[in-house]
Amino acid sequence: MSTGATKSIDTGRQPGTPTAASAKARGFVAPPKLRRPRHLGWLVMTLYLIFLLLPIYWLVNMSFKTNVEITNTFSLWPNDPTLRNYRVIFTDPSWYGGYINSITYVVMNTVISIAVALPAAYAFSRYRFLGDKHLFFWLLTNRMAPPAVFALPFFQLYSAFGLIDTHIAVALAHCLFNVPLAVWILEGFMSGVPREIDETAYIDGYSFPRFFVKIFMPLIASGIGVTAFFCFMFSWVELLLARTLTTTAAKPIAAIMTRTVSASGLDWGVLAAAGVLTIIPGALVIWFVRNYIAKGFALGRV
Amino acid sequence: MDRPTNQKAWFLVLPVLLLVAFSAVIPLMTVVNYSVQDTFGNNEFFWAGTAWFEEILHSQRFHEALARNLIFSAIILAIQIPLGIVVALSMPRKGIGVSICLVLMALPLLIPWNVVGTIWQVFGRVDIGLLGHTLEAIGIDYNYVRDPLDAWFTIILMDVWHWTSLVALLCYAGLVSIPEAYYQAARIDGASRWAVFRYIQLPKMNRVLLIAVLLRFMDSFMIYTEPFVVTGGGPGNSTTFLSIDLVKMAVGQFDLGPAAAMSIVYFLVVLLFSWIFYTVMTNFERGGQ
């Protein structure tokens, strides 16, 4: 493979016509390889992936060690692997309750975001209406709003409604950035569906709701899946608002981690195990959306 | 590509409008409210006019936090954008390697932000962390709890670890959209590797790169959780960025007036950049069709 690439560079460096003709002729047979020594690319990629995985490996490594081993010996892998840290988490309700809380509000937020974003995204992708551009921009500003600005006013707003320490409060608060995100991503996917489909359906006598659910939603099913993933993800990784709005009953796992660590005299093993368990949900579904990650982060605009 | 005008579309947007109004407009009005009033407790408020804004805009503390944040964002962009491009160029184009790279690269993006902080807090510790221990073993005096420079180094390394993949993934999405014929034409013309990058790949990545720059700028401009977990804003105030300072002021000291005024200044800056972001996105869309 590397010799092929070098050869193509050699031929490419000579601007004579015979070479060009042969290159063109070869181009029809097989697409030419990228014009650079591939082993350099492999080296960069490998180094980068090692850089990414080392800190994660270190966390996994720690989660299988006892606290004595963590603090007293420095070893690259657990000498005496133990599942004790994970057992602590799965047997103590104050730990695994955090996961249930997190997943509850994240799922609520995903459902709400997608439910309100679907019709709005359809309106933006299909129609022109008064103030549509301004509205679209205003949605974006909410995605870009610093959560720190909203932490205190949210606390007061949800206190006034008596919603503090409920899952729905966090779910609604995360709508601040997830609804705009969902509208933008869905609009990107919907614009890829030709409008003739809508028109044909109306001619066939479909009402709007029936057309939307029966015909349109299956067409953008992958888009809905990707959007759900991104709503899930951004709600899952956010902590500042989630921590501000909860005290005990709805406290997310990430916040329980910080608190328990400071209270119980640094139980490194359990902390590491809890961290590893927060990585798993993302890692499980990432395979299915791997080709859409860039599109999601760019708000449906790649 | 012209869309028909239909004012009834407003009904479809209405749920979003109500929801976002509830979660964005009402809280923002609260902030505006506080920013022009003073209180001596007991829920008694007095009109303070623009006093808080003047105080904030002239306060050294705000200037320092703003300067720190701008320097941080600049360093982040200077490292992550070139590195992201290099990584994107190095990615394999076909086969199972593509999927493996995509999944592994996206992994840091899906970790809760305070777990990211925790990972690096542990990783950088001299006694139990791989990074800190290694640095110490090769004779570098490294301690991110005491030394401001080391704290900055740790936080920047953490952010590079956390977000470079985003830049790389966006660039990769731009690269794979280049038709093979472009490369063939370049080869016929005998273009060098650098010329291919400069005149084919870079122009095609223009749009995604702009998106990457703006996203990375905005997100690093409002970073809170990760540095807070690692350093808590210290040592001293050396890693206190705008968000950390704001939360300290609002929740820690309960200085509602100045905190609200600062929020508004902060929000206006972000608004300005959102507008640039929006213009870039929509202009490119129109140009692309």
Side-chain angles (χ1 to χ4, degrees), chain A residues 12 32 35-36 48 52 58 70 116 124 128 130 142 144 152 154 156 195 233 237 254 286 290 301, chain B residues 2-4 6-7 10 16 20 23 34 89 99 110 114 128 161 165 187 190-191 193 207 256 270 285:
Chain A
R35 318 160 37 83
R36 94 191 99 106
Y48 182 66
L52 289 188
W58 200 248
I70 291 171
V116 299
F124 281 120
R128 217 176 267 286
L130 194 67
N142 289 311
M144 302 297 185
L152 187 66
F154 268 166
Q156 295 182 322
R195 216 180 1 251
M233 187 194 116
V237 298
I286 194 169
R290 62 186 184 279
R301 292 297 181 287
Chain B
D2 238 14
R3 293 165 294 159
N6 184 348
Q7 303 300 348
W10 264 101
V16 164
V20 180
S23 60
Y34 280 130
L89 288 171
S99 297
L110 302 171
N114 76 315
I128 59 170
W161 176 81
S165 296
R187 212 175 54 181
R193 175 80 197 93
R207 176 181 164 195
L256 291 183
V270 169
E285 231 156 70

Side-chain angles (χ1 to χ4, degrees), chain A residues 12 20 23 32 34-36 38 41 44-45 48-49 51-52 54-56 58-59 62 70 74 76 112 116 119-120 122-130 133 135 137-146 148-150 152-154 156-158 161 172 175-176 179 184 195 208 229 233 236-237 239-240 243 254 257 268 271 275 278-279 282-283 286-287 290-291 293-294 297-299 301-302, chain B residues 2-7 9-10 12-13 15-17 19-20 22-27 30-31 34 86-87 89-93 99 101-107 109-115 118-120 122-123 125 128-130 133 161 164-166 169-170 173 180 184 187-188 190-191 193 196 207 211 215 218-219 222 224 243 246-247 256 263 266-267 270-271 274-275 277-278 281 285:
Chain A
L34 268 166
R35 318 160 37 83
R36 94 191 99 106
R38 292 298 298 171
V44 172
M45 207 55 223
Y48 182 66
L49 288 180
F51 168 60
L52 289 188
L54 260 187
I56 299 179
W58 200 248
L59 192 75
M62 261 175 66
I70 291 171
F74 187 85
L76 292 176
I112 297 173
V116 299
Y122 183 80
F124 281 120
S125 86
R126 289 298 193 259
Y127 301 115
R128 217 176 267 286
F129 49 94
L130 194 67
K133 289 211 177 80
L135 198 61
F137 170 65
W138 176 62
L139 282 177
L140 178 74
T141 63
N142 289 311
R143 157 66 180 80
M144 302 297 185
V149 167
F150 285 90
L152 187 66
F154 268 166
Q156 295 182 322
L157 178 67
Y158 290 111
F161 284 94
L172 284 176
C175 283
L176 174 70
V179 167
W184 275 68
R195 216 180 1 251
F208 175 71
F229 169 79
M233 187 194 116
W236 180 256
V237 298
L239 181 76
L240 177 57
R243 201 186 54 186
M257 262 175 77
W268 291 113
L271 173 72
T278 62
I279 301 177
I286 194 169
W287 179 263
R290 62 186 184 279
N291 294 320
I293 292 169
F297 274 109
L299 306 160
R301 292 297 181 287
V302 165
Chain B
D2 238 14
R3 293 165 294 159
T5 307
N6 184 348
Q7 303 300 348
W10 264 101
L12 297 174
V13 188
V16 164
L17 202 66
L19 188 64
V20 180
F22 178 73
S23 60
V25 177
I26 297 178
T30 326
V31 175
Y34 280 130
V86 169
V87 170
L89 288 171
S90 311
M91 269 181 76
R93 293 303 156 82
S99 297
C101 284
L102 284 174
V103 168
L104 289 182
M105 280 165 66
L107 208 51
L109 303 170
L110 302 171
I111 301 176
W113 293 344
N114 76 315
V115 178
T118 309
I119 288 177
W120 281 84
V122 171
F123 197 60
R125 278 180 68 113
I128 59 170
L130 185 60
H133 198 84
W161 176 81
T164 303
S165 296
L166 170 62
L169 289 171
L170 285 173
E180 199 57 50
Q184 289 176 17
R187 212 175 54 181
I188 291 165
R193 175 80 197 93
V196 170
R207 176 181 164 195
I211 295 179
L215 274 179
M218 315 220 22
D219 286 347
M222 55 198 204
Y224 173 82
S243 278
L246 180 61
V247 172
L256 291 183
S263 300
Y266 195 178
F267 195 70
V270 169
L271 202 67
S274 296
W275 181 76
F277 187 90
Y278 181 76
M281 291 252 222
E285 231 156 70

